[in-house]
C-alpha cells in the first residue's frame, strides 16, 4: 500500500505485481517505474535491477517494456450513497474529490484515451459508443469538461455493487490498441469476485489502480491490485484526494516491463519464497520484497527411483526413493514377480520418500528374478528388474581319507561349497600299484564315499583317486605306502580343554613319531552351532585348529578328519557340552499402587536356558489377571489388579524354564 507524495523532490517510483508462477520454474512479475513523476529517460535496463530469490541472485530478463507513455484508462467510479460520507460531509461530495480527477486527466497524453464508468447497483458508461473511439481523448479540453460535467451530475444514491462496474470497464478496454490498459477504481467498498478478476485482467493485460475512500476494504481490493501489478492507495480525508490521483496517474503513464527469471531453487515446493528487488537509477534506490509459495509439487514428472544393492552375492535390497518434498512422494511399491527369491522383510511406504524390500535367493544354484514397480502420488511409474545369476563352479571336489586299516581305505568326497554344482563321478587313475577301487557311492550331489584296498597289505602300494563334479572340475587324492615297516600310524588329533569364555574349540594334529612322514590333510566338517573353522599348519608335522562356538548354551558335535602323506587316517568328533541348567527362575513382584501387582520372572543365572512358560495354578482370588508379557527369553512380566481392595487376594503362579 502506497501513501501519496506531497513534494516535488527528486523521486523514484517502483512497484511490482504478485509473482506469477503458472510457468514455474519461470517466475514473472509486472514492474512499473517512474522518475520524478514521469517516464524514466533513458528506460530501465536489466543492469539497473538486482533480483534475489531466498537471498540467492537470479539472472533476470526484462521483456515487453512499454516506454510510450500512452495508455487507455477507464475511471470506474462508485456513485453509491455511501460516497457522500466517505468523500463528503454526508450531504454533499467534497469539491476536492472532483478536482482530484483533474489532476489525473492533466497527465493523460494527447494520444491516450480515457472513459468514465459510474456504478451503484448498475453501471453506466460515458462518453458512450457514439463518441470518437468511444473514449475521451487526452489533452482535449472539451472532453475534459464533458467528463467533469458527467461526474458532477451524479446523484450518489443507491447500493454498491462493484463487480458490474469492473465488468463493463474490462469490456471497454480489452480491444483498445495500447500496451498499457488501466482501470482506476474509486470506491469505499470491495470487489467481490477477486480470483476471477485476478486471472481475467492478467489475461487481457489490464492493470488495476485503486483509490480507496474512507476506511474502505483494503484487504480485498489491494489483493487484486497487487496481482495485476497496479497501485493501491488510500485517501482517508479530502486533502489526500488530489495527490493520490496525481500519483496514480504518474504510475499509469510510467514505464511498464515484465521481469522474468528461471528459479534456481532446487527444492521449492513446500516453503515460502522471498524475492528481493533492488532498483538503482540515477543515484536513487528503491527496494521491494515479493513472496510466493507453490504449496505442492505441480511439476512432478519423475517416477520414483528404484535401486538395488547386494550386501552379499545371494541377497538383494530393493529401494524406492522420492526426493520428497521436491517430489510428491511414493504412493505404491510392490513386486509383481518373484522367481527363486524369498522376501525377508519390507519397509512399507509409511514414509513419503522411501520404501524397501529385502530379498534372498532360495536356491543359489539356480537363476532368480524379481520385477518391482513403484508409483508416486502424481502417478509417475517406475519399473526395475532384479536379476541373480549363480557364479560358475570353478572349485574341484574335496577328497579326504576318512580311515585306513590293514590296507583298506575309506575316502569321503564332498562338493558342498558355495556354487558347487555337485559330484559327478570318481575313479582310480591308471597306473595304480597294489591298490584296487572297490566301490564308489554318490549319496547326494554334495556327498559321496569311495572304498579301496590293497590285495597285499604288507607290500608297497600307490595310486590316486580322481573325482569329478558336474562342471568338469577334477581333483585327486594319492595314496603311497612304501611297506608295512614304514609310516603305519595315523596322525594324532587332540582337542584342548575349553576355557572361559567358551567361545571356541581349539586343538592340534600331530605327526611327530618315529617314521612319521607328515600331515597331508585336515578337514573339519561344518555342524550346527559352529562358525567357520580355521586350520593353521605350523610345519608338516604339526597343525592347530580353531572352531568357533556360536551359542555357548548349546552343545557342539563336529567331525574332524586327518590323514598323513602315506594314507594313514584318523577320525574324531570335536565335542562341547555346556554345563547343566540347575537353577530355577527367580520370581518377584512389585506394588506400583494399592490395587496393582506386577509379577516378575528372570532367568539370568549362569547356564540358564530361558523361560519356557508362566501359568496360573487354579484360579486367581480377587485378582484380574493380565497376559504374560515376554520381554525376551530371559524376562517375563504379568500384571495383576485387585478387584475389591477391602478383601484379600492371592494367586499361585507356576514357572518353568527351558530345561524343565
Amino acid at each position: 500500500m502506497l501513501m501519496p507524495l506531497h513534494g516535488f523532490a527528486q523521486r523514484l517510483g517502483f512497484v511490482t505485481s504478485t509473482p506469477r508462477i503458472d510457468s514455474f520454474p519461470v517466475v514473472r512479475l509486472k514492474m512499473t517505474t517512474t522518475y520524478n513523476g514521469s517516464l524514466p529517460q533513458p528506460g530501465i535496463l536489466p543492469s539497473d535491477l538486482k533480483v534475489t530469490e531466498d537471498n540467492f541472485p537470479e539472472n533476470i530478463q526484462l521483456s515487453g517494456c512499454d516506454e510510450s507513455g500512452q495508455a487507455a484508462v477507464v475511471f470506474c467510479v462508485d456513485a453509491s450513497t455511501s460516497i457522500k460520507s466517505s468523500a463528503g460531509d454526508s450531504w454533499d461530495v467534497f469539491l476536492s474529490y472532483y478536482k482530484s480527477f483533474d489532476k489525473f486527466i492533466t497527465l493523460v497524453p494527447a494520444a491516450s484515451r480515457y472513459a468514465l464508468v459510474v456504478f451503484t447497483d448498475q453501471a453506466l458508461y460515458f462518453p458512450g459508443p457514439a463518441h470518437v473511439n468511444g473514449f475521451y481523448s487526452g489533452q482535449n479540453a472539451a472532453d475534459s469538461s464533458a467528463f467533469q460535467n458527467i461526474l458532477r451530475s451524479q446523484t450518489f444514491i443507491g447500493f454498491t455493487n462493484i463487480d458490474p462496474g469492473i465488468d463493463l470497464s474490462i469490456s471497454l478496454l480489452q480491444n483498445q490498441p495500447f500496451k498499457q490498459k488501466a482501470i482506476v477504481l474509486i470506491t469505499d467498498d470491495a470487489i467481490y469476485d477477486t480470483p476471477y478478476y485476478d486471472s481475467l485482467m492478467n489475461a487481457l493485460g489490464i492493470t488495476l489502480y485503486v483509490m480507496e475512500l474512507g476506511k474502505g476494504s483494503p484487504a480485498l481490493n489491494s489483493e487484486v491490485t497487487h496481482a495485476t501489478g497496479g497501485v493501491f492507495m488510500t485517501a482517508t480525508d479530502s486533502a489526500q484526494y488530489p495527490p493520490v490521483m496525481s500519483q496514480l496517474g504518474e504510475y499509469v503513464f510510467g514505464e511498464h516491463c515484465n521481469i522474468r527469471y528461471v528459479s534456481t531453487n532446487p527444492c521449492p515446493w513446500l516453503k515460502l519464497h522471498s524475492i528481493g528487488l533492488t532498483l538503482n537509477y540515477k543515484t536513487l534506490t528503491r527496494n521491494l520484497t515479493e513472496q510466493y509459495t507453490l504449496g505442492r509439487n505441480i511439476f512432478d514428472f519423475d517416477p520414483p527411483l528404484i535401486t538395488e544393492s547386494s550386501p552379499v552375492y545371494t541377497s538383494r535390497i530393493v529401494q524406492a526413493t522420492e526426493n520428497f518434498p521436491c517430489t510428491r512422494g511414493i504412493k505404491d511399491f510392490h513386486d509383481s514377480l518373484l522367481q527363486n527369491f524369498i522376501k525377508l522383510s519390507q519397509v512399507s511406504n509409511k514414509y513419503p520418500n522411501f520404501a524397501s524390500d529385502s530379498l534372498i535367493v532360495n536356491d543359489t544354484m539356480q537363476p532368480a528374478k524379481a520385477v518391482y514397480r513403484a508409483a508416486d502420488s502424481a502417478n509417475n511409474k517406475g519399473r526395475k528388474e532384479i536379476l541373480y545369476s549363480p557364479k560358475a563352479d570353478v572349485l574341484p571336489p574335496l577328497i579326504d581319507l576318512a580311515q585306513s586299516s590293514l590296507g583298506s581305505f575309506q575316502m569321503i568326497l564332498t562338493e558342498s561349497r558355495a556354487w558347487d554344482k555337485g559330484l559327478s563321478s570318481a575313479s582310480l587313475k591308471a597306473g595304480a600299484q597294489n591298490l584296487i577301487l572297490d566301490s564308489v557311492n554318490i549319496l547326494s550331489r554334495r556327498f559321496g564315499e569311495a572304498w579301496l584296498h590293497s590285495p597285499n597289505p604288507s607290500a608297497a602300494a600307490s595310486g590316486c583317486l580322481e573325482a569329478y563334479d558336474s562342471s568338469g572340475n577334477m581333483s585327486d587324492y594319492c595314496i603311497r605306502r612304501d611297506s608295512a615297516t614304514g609310516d603305519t600310524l595315523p596322525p594324532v588329533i587332540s582337542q584342548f580343554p575349553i576355557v572361559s569364555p567358551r567361545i571356541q574349540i581349539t586343538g592340534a594334529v600331530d605327526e611327530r613319531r618315529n617314521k612319521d612322514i607328515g600331515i597331508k590333510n585336515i578337514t573339519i566338517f561344518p555342524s550346527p552351532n559352529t562358525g567357520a573353522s580355521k586350520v593353521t599348519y605350523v610345519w608338516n608335522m604339526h597343525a592347530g585348529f580353531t572352531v568357533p562356538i556360536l551359542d555357548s548354551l548349546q552343545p557342539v558335535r563336529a567331525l574332524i578328519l586327518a590323514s598323513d602323506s602315506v594314507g594313514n587316517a584318523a577320525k574324531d568328533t570335536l565335542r562341547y557340552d555346556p554345563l547343566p541348567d540347575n537353577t530355577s527362575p527367580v520370581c518377584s513382584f512389585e506394588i506400583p499402587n494399592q490395587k496393582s501387582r506386577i509379577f516378575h520372572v528372570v532367568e539370568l543365572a549362569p547356564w540358564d536356558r530361558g523361560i519356557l512358560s508362566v501359568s496360573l495354578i487354579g484360579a486367581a482370588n480377587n485378582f484380574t489377571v493380565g497376559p504374560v508379557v515376554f520381554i525376551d527369553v530371559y524376562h517375563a512380566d504379568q500384571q495383576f489388579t485387585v478387584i475389591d481392595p477391602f478383601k484379600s487376594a492371592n494367586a499361585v503362579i507356576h514357572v518353568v524354564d527351558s530345561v524343565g
Side-chain angles (χ1 to χ4, degrees):
M1 183 186 302
L2 298 179
M3 298 302 293
L5 301 174
H6 294 281
F8 293 95
Q10 187 182 28
R11 64 189 191 276
L12 181 64
F14 181 42
V15 293
T16 53
S17 69
T18 303
R20 300 175 187 175
I21 52 174
D22 53 332
S23 300
F24 191 84
V26 175
V27 179
R28 296 175 296 128
L29 303 94
K30 229 173 141 179
M31 174 189 77
T32 301
T33 54
T34 63
Y35 180 70
N36 291 340
S38 60
L39 207 66
Q41 296 292 338
I44 303 300
L45 299 174
S47 58
D48 299 324
L49 265 173
K50 292 183 180 178
V51 177
T52 62
E53 181 176 299
D54 300 332
N55 297 319
F56 290 97
E58 299 290 354
N59 184 21
I60 68 160
Q61 297 175 339
L62 291 181
S63 62
C65 291
D66 179 15
E67 299 175 355
S68 66
Q70 301 293 326
V73 183
V74 173
F75 293 92
C76 190
V77 179
D78 190 341
S80 64
T81 304
S82 62
I83 297 300
K84 292 181 180 179
S85 297
S86 299
D89 58 5
S90 77
W91 295 97
D92 295 304
V93 175
F94 293 131
L95 184 61
S96 61
Y97 174 78
Y98 297 116
K99 289 185 175 180
S100 67
F101 289 86
D102 288 336
K103 290 288 187 180
F104 193 112
I105 291 172
T106 57
L107 297 175
V108 179
S112 293
R113 303 169 185 174
Y114 60 100
L116 173 63
V117 169
V118 293
F119 64 89
T120 52
D121 51 355
Q122 60 182 350
L124 300 174
Y125 145 58
F126 305 93
H131 196 275
V132 179
N133 299 318
F135 275 67
Y136 299 115
S137 297
Q139 304 303 312
N140 184 305
D143 283 352
S144 176
S145 177
F147 178 96
Q148 278 289 354
N149 289 336
I150 294 295
L151 182 62
R152 289 170 185 255
S153 67
Q154 300 304 309
T155 58
F156 294 96
I157 294 175
F159 298 106
T160 306
N161 189 354
I162 297 179
D163 289 16
I166 296 294
D167 284 332
L168 181 54
S169 301
I170 290 173
S171 68
L172 294 174
L173 288 171
Q174 62 181 344
N175 294 318
Q176 289 299 307
F178 295 89
K179 279 189 176 182
Q180 174 66 354
K181 293 175 277 192
I183 297 174
V184 180
L185 174 64
I186 298 93
T187 185
D188 60 359
D189 210 329
I191 299 172
Y192 176 72
D193 200 356
T194 53
Y196 168 73
Y197 290 120
D198 283 354
S199 56
L200 181 60
M201 289 190 206
N202 277 321
L204 298 175
I206 298 173
T207 307
L208 178 66
Y209 298 83
V210 175
M211 180 170 75
E212 193 79 27
L213 303 173
K215 295 182 180 179
S217 304
L220 293 174
N221 289 347
S222 63
E223 180 181 327
V224 185
T225 305
H226 188 206
T228 65
V231 178
F232 177 91
M233 301 183 71
T234 59
T236 56
D237 60 66
S238 59
Q240 291 180 327
Y241 303 150
V244 166
M245 289 293 280
S246 178
Q247 193 167 356
L248 290 179
E250 292 176 4
Y251 279 112
V252 169
F253 299 104
E255 181 180 9
H256 307 279
C257 289
N258 291 316
I259 302 172
R260 180 188 184 279
Y261 69 89
V262 179
S263 174
T264 56
N265 199 307
C267 185
W269 308 115
L270 299 183
K271 58 185 176 183
L272 182 67
H273 302 281
S274 293
I275 303 174
L277 302 105
T278 300
L279 175 63
N280 293 296
Y281 186 79
K282 294 186 177 180
T283 73
L284 298 179
T285 299
R286 287 292 305 275
N287 295 295
L288 292 177
T289 299
E290 298 288 355
Q291 293 181 321
Y292 75 91
T293 181
L294 297 166
R296 62 186 179 90
N297 186 344
I298 56 177
F299 299 110
D300 182 4
F301 303 117
D302 297 322
L305 177 64
I306 304 176
T307 59
E308 67 172 301
S309 58
S310 300
V312 296
Y313 189 77
T314 56
S315 71
R316 300 289 187 272
I317 295 177
V318 186
Q319 293 181 336
T321 56
E322 281 259 290
N323 188 18
F324 184 85
C326 292
T327 52
R328 296 196 197 179
I330 295 173
K331 180 181 179 182
D332 179 59
F333 172 69
H334 68 278
D335 62 90
S336 60
L337 176 70
L338 286 181
Q339 295 178 351
N340 197 28
F341 272 122
I342 298 174
K343 188 180 298 185
L344 294 181
S345 63
Q346 182 177 54
V347 177
S348 65
N349 52 323
K350 63 180 179 179
Y351 305 106
N353 63 332
F354 179 80
S356 174
D357 270 4
S358 177
L359 305 176
I360 190 167
V361 177
N362 183 34
D363 184 351
T364 60
M365 308 309 296
Q366 303 299 322
K369 178 181 179 181
V371 178
Y372 271 84
R373 300 178 186 275
D376 62 16
S377 298
N379 208 34
N380 300 306
K381 297 178 181 178
R383 179 183 183 275
K384 187 174 180 64
E385 289 189 358
I386 311 300
L387 302 174
Y388 161 82
S389 297
K391 291 183 178 180
D393 180 2
V394 296
L395 299 175
L398 294 176
I399 307 175
D400 293 292
L401 181 60
Q403 60 183 357
S404 63
S405 175
L406 301 176
S408 295
F409 304 92
Q410 180 190 11
M411 314 295 291
I412 292 180
L413 317 176
T414 57
E415 175 86 344
S416 57
R417 296 151 304 191
W419 326 121
D420 279 348
K421 297 296 189 293
L423 293 167
S424 175
S425 63
S427 60
L428 188 64
K429 268 187 181 182
Q433 296 180 357
N434 193 26
L435 198 62
I436 297 174
L437 175 63
D438 295 321
S439 64
V440 174
N441 189 8
I442 306 297
L443 300 174
S444 70
R445 72 183 183 91
R446 296 191 179 276
F447 185 81
E449 290 181 326
W451 296 87
L452 303 93
H453 81 280
S454 295
N456 183 0
S458 62
S462 65
C464 296
L465 180 70
E466 292 180 327
Y468 288 87
D469 65 15
S470 300
S471 298
N473 300 305
M474 186 274 291
S475 63
D476 59 15
Y477 191 105
C478 296
I479 296 173
R480 177 176 60 85
R481 293 179 61 87
D482 293 330
S483 69
T485 59
D487 181 358
T488 60
L489 299 176
V492 177
I493 302 172
S494 303
Q495 178 179 327
F496 300 154
I498 300 174
V499 298
S500 182
R502 302 180 179 222
I503 59 174
Q504 61 186 14
I505 299 172
T506 58
V509 176
D510 275 300
E511 176 86 347
R512 290 186 282 188
R513 295 153 306 194
N514 185 32
K515 298 184 180 180
D516 278 350
I517 294 178
I519 302 168
K520 179 176 182 179
N521 193 42
I522 300 171
T523 301
I524 301 172
F525 290 88
S527 68
N529 198 29
T530 62
S533 59
K534 180 180 179 182
V535 176
T536 304
Y537 289 89
V538 180
W539 57 304
N540 69 323
M541 299 292 186
H542 179 79
F545 60 83
T546 302
V547 180
I549 300 172
L550 301 182
D551 183 353
S552 62
L553 293 179
Q554 305 300 324
V556 171
R557 298 290 185 271
L559 177 64
I560 180 170
L561 303 180
S563 60
D564 64 16
S565 298
V566 297
N568 300 306
K571 179 169 62 175
D572 203 349
T573 300
L574 303 177
R575 294 173 173 267
Y576 164 73
D577 289 296
L579 293 180
D581 178 0
N582 295 322
T583 307
S584 300
V586 177
C587 304
S588 63
F589 69 91
E590 64 172 305
I591 307 175
N593 53 59
Q594 184 178 2
K595 296 187 67 175
S596 297
R597 304 291 186 271
I598 301 176
F599 180 71
H600 299 291
V601 182
V602 294
E603 173 85 345
L604 289 176
W607 310 110
D608 278 349
R609 296 332 191 242
I611 303 165
L612 177 64
S613 64
V614 178
S615 59
L616 283 175
I617 298 179
N621 178 31
N622 197 27
F623 272 128
T624 299
V625 183
V628 178
V629 178
F630 282 88
I631 300 170
D632 54 41
V633 71
Y634 302 106
H635 299 81
D637 290 342
Q638 191 170 21
Q639 176 85 36
F640 291 80
T641 304
V642 177
I643 299 172
D644 186 347
F646 297 101
K647 295 181 180 180
S648 62
N650 59 76
V652 179
I653 305 168
H654 184 58
V655 180
V656 181
D657 69 11
S658 297
V659 297

